[in-house]
């Protein structure tokens, strides 16, 4: 009898509990976070343009709202019966990205407040405190503010450089044994695994703070590009060299890759912010901002197997 009663009781609890909404379940962080929420036994709602891409989450019980994050009707549907929202601003894909991102965040926060949502986690970045002028990161202070003005408990996760960004360099790493970047070889900055960002987001969503907080997510240690490249060399069993390039070299390279000028310019502005300190973390490293996954483990267990698999 007990084995029959417990699943039914769990189902009843799930059906009456308020949900957590993830607005980008197909992003690297959003997917990992969605799984953590389901693992915790909390109802999950996801917003997706293509329900086929979140079929695995739906099979586990997630409610899928089909639509885009700038669709007011989809947001109203998703936020109905929700208590918390994870909000990730997608990468820039349009010339008016700053205005669009702010408008969409304002709309979403207003609809969430009307629906009774009481807490939110906004994925932000180191450097967000500097405001506009640093490319994609420049929109995030405004996005944070949009949610703070409407929702009583908002955590802005100001994350460091993603370990996964090294996948962008996979072609030059495997083909030339080099990483090219305008960032200085000897400047230390926070680097973090997206799995750790998802864990920090889950903690803040499941146990929201009283009021607002800016929470750095900094990985186990600050690293220079030279240090990170040395760890990558060790994991790959071959020497990988770091080569610093100029900002205009970056602009030209991005243009050759087919990126429109507004997008290549945004990334050039971001790296200019790295060079002049505007992208430095405002939150000091502490026990609260330090996460557990070391970059060497990421390179060994995630990066190298995937890159080697793609090259076979």
């Amino acid at each position: 009898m007990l084995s029959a009663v417990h699943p039914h009781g769990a189902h009843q609890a799930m059906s009456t509990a308020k949900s957590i909404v993830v607005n980008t379940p197909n992003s690297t962080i959003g997917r990992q976070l969605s799984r953590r929420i389901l693992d915790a036994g909390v109802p999950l709602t996801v917003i997706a343009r293509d329900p086929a891409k979140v079929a695995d989450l739906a099979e586990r019980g997630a409610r899928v709202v089909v639509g885009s994050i700038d669709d007011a009707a989809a947001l109203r549907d998703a936020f109905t019966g929700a208590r918390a929202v994870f909000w990730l601003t997608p990468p820039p894909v349009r010339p008016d990205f700053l205005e669009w991102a702010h408008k969409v965040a304002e709309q979403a926060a207003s609809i969430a407040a009307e629906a009774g949502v009481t807490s939110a986690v906004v994925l932000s970045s180191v450097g967000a405190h500097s405001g506009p002028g640093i490319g994609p990161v420049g929109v995030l202070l405004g996005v944070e503010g949009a949610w703070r003005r409407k929702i009583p408990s908002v955590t802005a996760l100001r994350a460091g450089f993603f370990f996964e960004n090294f996948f962008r360099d996979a072609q030059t790493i495997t083909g030339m044994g080099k990483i090219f970047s305008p960032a200085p070889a000897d400047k230390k900055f926070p680097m973090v695994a997206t799995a750790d960002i998802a864990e920090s987001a889950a903690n803040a969503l499941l146990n929201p703070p009283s009021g607002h907080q800016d929470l750095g997510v900094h990985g186990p240690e600050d690293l220079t590009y030279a240090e990170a490249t040395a760890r990558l060399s060790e994991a790959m069993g071959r020497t990988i060299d770091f080569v610093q390039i100029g900002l205009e070299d970056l602009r030209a390279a991005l243009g050759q890759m087919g990126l429109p000028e507004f997008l290549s310019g945004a990334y050039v502005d971001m790296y200019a912010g790295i060079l002049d300190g505007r992208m430095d973390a405002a939150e000091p490293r502490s026990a609260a901002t330090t996460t557990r996954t070391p970059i060497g483990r990421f390179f060994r267990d995630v990066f190298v197997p995937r890159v080697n698999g793609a090259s076979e």
Side-chain angles (χ1 to χ4, degrees):
M1 290 293 292
L2 289 177
S3 62
V5 170
H6 283 294
H8 176 71
H11 175 75
Q12 289 292 95
M14 285 276 288
S15 65
T16 58
K18 289 195 169 186
S19 69
I20 293 175
V21 179
V22 173
N23 79 319
T24 51
N26 289 313
S27 66
T28 301
I29 294 170
R31 180 53 59 98
Q32 295 179 88
L33 172 60
S34 294
R35 291 170 177 158
R36 288 179 180 274
I37 293 168
L38 291 170
D39 288 345
V42 175
L44 170 69
T45 299
V46 297
I47 303 171
R49 291 177 180 270
D50 182 356
K53 293 183 177 180
V54 291
D56 60 316
L57 300 176
E59 289 173 1
R60 293 190 58 189
R63 184 169 77 95
V64 179
V65 173
V66 179
S68 60
I69 65 170
D70 57 2
D71 179 346
L75 292 172
R76 288 191 182 93
D77 186 359
F79 295 159
T80 298
R83 64 177 176 84
V85 174
F86 173 74
W87 189 261
L88 184 155
T89 302
V93 293
R94 48 196 292 168
D96 63 342
F97 176 67
L98 187 147
E99 294 80 7
W100 176 85
H102 289 173
K103 179 181 178 181
V104 172
E106 292 278 2
Q107 173 180 256
S110 294
I111 294 173
E114 292 168 3
V117 170
T118 56
S119 66
V121 170
V122 176
L123 181 64
S124 190
S125 170
V126 294
H129 65 283
S130 296
I134 46 177
V137 175
V139 309
L140 295 175
L141 185 64
V143 172
E144 293 175 4
W147 284 93
R148 288 193 180 106
R149 286 189 290 273
K150 296 292 184 179
I151 304 299
S153 172
V154 176
T155 297
L157 291 183
R158 291 183 170 174
F161 179 90
F162 299 176
F163 291 169
E164 282 80 358
N165 288 345
F166 283 98
F167 283 114
R168 300 174 185 170
D169 303 302
Q171 187 173 359
T172 60
I173 289 170
T174 57
M176 304 172 63
K178 296 182 186 298
I179 292 176
F180 299 91
S181 172
D186 58 354
K187 180 181 177 68
K188 285 184 178 286
F189 51 94
M191 297 188 184
V192 61
T194 58
D196 290 354
I197 300 171
E199 182 175 19
S200 295
N203 290 339
L205 288 164
L206 296 171
N207 303 286
S210 175
H212 305 318
Q213 66 170 342
D214 297 326
L215 180 62
V217 192
H218 293 163
E221 59 182 327
D222 291 358
L223 293 165
T224 66
Y225 250 116
E227 291 168 337
T229 304
R231 310 278 176 88
L232 177 58
S233 298
E234 182 178 355
M236 296 194 73
R238 58 177 289 201
T239 298
I240 307 297
D241 295 318
F242 175 76
V243 180
Q244 185 179 4
I245 61 173
L247 292 175
E248 292 309 311
D249 295 324
L250 174 65
R251 190 190 305 274
L254 294 175
Q256 290 170 4
M257 293 168 59
L259 270 68
E261 173 56 32
F262 79 85
L263 188 52
S264 60
Y267 286 114
V268 168
D269 289 345
M270 183 182 71
Y271 276 98
I274 292 174
L275 291 169
D276 65 20
R278 286 174 294 155
M279 282 286 292
D280 290 354
E283 297 71 38
R285 179 171 287 280
S286 66
T289 72
T290 298
T291 57
R292 58 184 176 175
T293 304
I295 197 168
R297 184 195 304 165
F298 168 81
F299 283 144
R300 184 187 69 241
D301 296 346
V302 179
F303 185 87
V304 172
R306 192 180 304 176
V307 169
N308 285 346
S311 62
E312 290 174 356

